[in-house]
Amino acid sequence: MVDFGNTLKTLRLREDMTQAQLAQKLGLTKSVISAYETGLRLPSYDVLIHVSKIFKVSTDYLLGVESQHDLDLSGISDDEVAALKNLIKAMRNRH
C-alpha cells in the first residue's frame, strides 16, 4: 500500500481530475483524497474497489502488486488486435 497515494495521484492527474472531482465521485471529501495521496490515510476495501472502477485498473495495480496495464481494445478489429500484439512482441524482442 506504500505506493497507493502516488498511484492514485498519477491516475487522477492523467484524467485531468481534481481532488474535489474525485472526492465527489467517491462520496468523500477533498481532504480524504489529499490524505490518501500523501499517505496519511489508506482507503477502505469499498473505496479501493470504487477507485479501480473509476480509473479502469485492477485493485492489484492500485496496491502496487502488479504493474501490468490493461488496454481497452473495444472498437478495434481482430486484425488490428493481432497487429498490436505483434508490435508488442517485436518491441519486447528488441531488448
Side-chain angles (χ1 to χ4, degrees):
M1 286 287 265
V2 175
D3 293 335
F4 175 76
N6 290 329
T7 302
L8 179 63
K9 184 173 183 177
T10 299
L11 290 169
R12 180 179 61 75
L13 293 175
R14 187 179 303 154
E15 296 293 321
D16 293 322
M17 190 182 298
T18 66
Q19 287 182 342
Q21 289 169 326
L22 179 57
Q24 183 178 12
K25 287 178 181 266
L26 293 170
L28 302 170
T29 63
K30 179 182 174 283
S31 63
V32 170
I33 301 303
S34 177
Y36 290 160
E37 290 183 0
T38 58
L40 296 175
R41 188 169 173 176
L42 297 174
S44 68
Y45 292 130
D46 290 338
V47 170
L48 187 69
I49 291 167
H50 198 174
V51 169
S52 75
K53 289 178 181 179
I54 289 170
F55 293 112
K56 297 178 179 75
V57 296
S58 70
T59 54
D60 281 351
Y61 176 76
L62 290 172
L63 297 173
V65 175
E66 73 176 29
S67 61
Q68 182 177 355
H69 298 279
D70 292 329
L71 297 174
D72 180 4
L73 300 177
S74 58
I76 297 177
S77 72
D78 289 340
D79 288 339
E80 291 167 329
V81 170
L84 286 171
K85 286 181 179 179
N86 286 333
L87 178 60
I88 292 168
K89 183 178 177 183
M91 292 173 78
R92 284 186 180 144
N93 289 336
R94 245 183 11 174
H95 300 281

